[in-house]
Amino acid sequence: MSTVFLAEPFATLWAGRDPFAAAAALTGTVVRELEGRRTFRFEIDGRGYYAKLHRGVGWGEILENLVRGRLPVLGAENEWRAIQAFHAHGLGTMTAVAFGDRGRGPARRESFLITEALEPTTDLDALTRNWAGNPPPVALKRALLKEVTRIARGMHEAGINHRDFYLVHFLLDLDPPPAPGRLRLSVIDLHRAQLRSRTPRRWRDKDLAALYFSALDIGLTRRDKLRFLRDYFPGPLRDTLRREARLLAHLEREAARLKRRYERKFAHRPALQR
């Protein structure tokens, strides 16, 4: 049993071909390669795309992930479904133009996902890295904060949690140049996202802690944080501060813990990427 979706240009280019073989034959610049998964960028007629090819994984890797408390990524279907859910709820993300999934059992499963490249863009981690010492225009900072908050609230209200909800996974469109009234943000790397009818508080809080951790050093003021809370939670801000006091204390502790772990892990690496 197999599932295949092809939009243009792949519906035409791969007409009459085995789409799994066609996807496997693609080549490009590899951006990430793990056991069972390869991600690379390629072009067709001058237009950029990203492909994720998934091969079967063994029970050893699955058990290793489970022991570490992680749900293993077994194929492209989860990201495909997450992309559709984002679009259905008006949240910016990638556009999928080809998807295929076939095979039963983790060792025999084969899948692919091709998305349009979001270009030109910059991720919010890179954009905000020097904000503490070189603040952006206040109006732009507030507009970006408002849009990040809208996406976070909309995602969680739709029953989606990201599981890697860091600033580096927000891409800001640079054409046309971003301005307070003209921002386009897209969330990427949805392969570990979870979809439910309602986001459990535990997973919502994990996303919020990850987001807060990734913004710890960008120079946000207390008023910036209050604006996030005002726009994320329903009801008056005063009620939110009282009702969510335990959560806010947890976010401070968890963000500090993540920062310590990050600093230990990447202490000797030159590149900063949260």
Side-chain angles (χ1 to χ4, degrees):
M1 180 177 178
S2 66
T3 301
V4 174
F5 164 83
L6 300 177
E8 295 299 344
F10 301 96
T12 297
L13 291 174
W14 293 355
R17 299 178 61 189
D18 175 358
F20 295 90
L26 292 170
T27 59
T29 303
V30 175
V31 296
R32 194 170 193 191
E33 187 153 18
L34 302 170
E35 184 178 355
R37 185 168 85 245
R38 180 163 61 100
T39 303
F40 58 92
R41 184 189 181 280
F42 66 100
E43 292 187 359
I44 295 177
D45 294 332
R47 186 163 190 174
Y49 299 89
Y50 281 88
K52 288 186 179 180
L53 307 184
H54 294 255
R55 302 179 300 278
V57 297
W59 284 107
E61 182 181 348
I62 293 173
L63 291 174
E64 182 181 348
N65 275 273
L66 293 176
V67 166
R68 293 182 178 181
R70 304 174 184 169
L71 291 175
V73 177
L74 300 180
E77 181 183 12
N78 193 68
E79 188 158 25
W80 159 257
R81 291 176 58 239
I83 289 172
Q84 308 313 308
F86 262 68
H87 285 298
H89 290 91
L91 304 171
T93 188
M94 305 157 284
T95 296
V97 288
F99 165 73
D101 182 271
R102 71 180 178 186
R104 295 189 177 185
R108 297 184 178 181
R109 193 170 183 181
E110 179 184 8
S111 60
F112 65 85
L113 176 67
I114 299 175
T115 59
E116 295 177 349
L118 294 168
E119 298 170 340
T121 57
T122 185
D123 68 72
L124 290 192
D125 180 82
L127 180 74
T128 62
R129 196 167 297 162
N130 297 319
W131 275 14
N134 185 24
V138 172
L140 179 61
K141 181 179 74 168
R142 289 181 180 175
L144 281 168
L145 177 63
K146 192 174 188 68
E147 182 63 4
V148 168
T149 310
R150 183 190 73 83
I151 291 173
R153 178 174 177 171
M155 185 178 76
H156 292 149
E157 287 180 345
I160 308 167
N161 62 283
H162 190 285
R163 297 178 69 201
D164 290 300
F165 202 47
Y166 305 108
L167 289 179
V168 73
H169 291 146
F170 286 81
L171 295 188
L172 176 64
D173 196 337
L174 298 178
D175 185 17
R182 187 181 61 226
L183 295 176
R184 181 185 174 189
L185 275 180
S186 300
V187 180
I188 62 169
D189 276 13
L190 300 177
H191 57 279
R192 296 199 330 129
Q194 296 174 323
L195 282 69
R196 305 178 179 87
S197 59
R198 182 175 177 272
T199 301
R201 184 185 182 100
R202 168 176 176 256
W203 289 105
R204 180 205 70 177
D205 293 353
K206 282 182 175 292
D207 274 356
L208 293 179
L211 182 62
Y212 184 40
F213 151 69
S214 67
L216 275 180
D217 299 325
I218 69 173
L220 294 181
T221 65
R222 183 173 184 273
R223 287 188 177 183
D224 292 330
K225 298 173 186 178
L226 291 176
R227 287 188 181 93
F228 179 91
L229 296 174
R230 180 196 64 196
D231 293 339
Y232 179 86
F233 290 101
L237 177 60
R238 185 184 302 272
D239 293 346
T240 294
L241 293 175
R242 182 178 62 254
R243 184 180 65 249
E244 302 294 343
R246 290 181 62 184
L247 168 64
L248 300 182
H250 166 74
L251 292 182
E252 293 288 349
R253 293 193 303 270
E254 184 66 6
R257 184 188 70 82
L258 289 171
K259 184 177 182 180
R260 289 193 300 270
R261 188 178 73 174
Y262 169 82
E263 289 172 344
R264 288 195 303 268
K265 184 176 181 181
F266 295 100
H268 304 295
R269 297 189 184 185
L272 174 64
Q273 185 177 47
R274 285 189 278 266

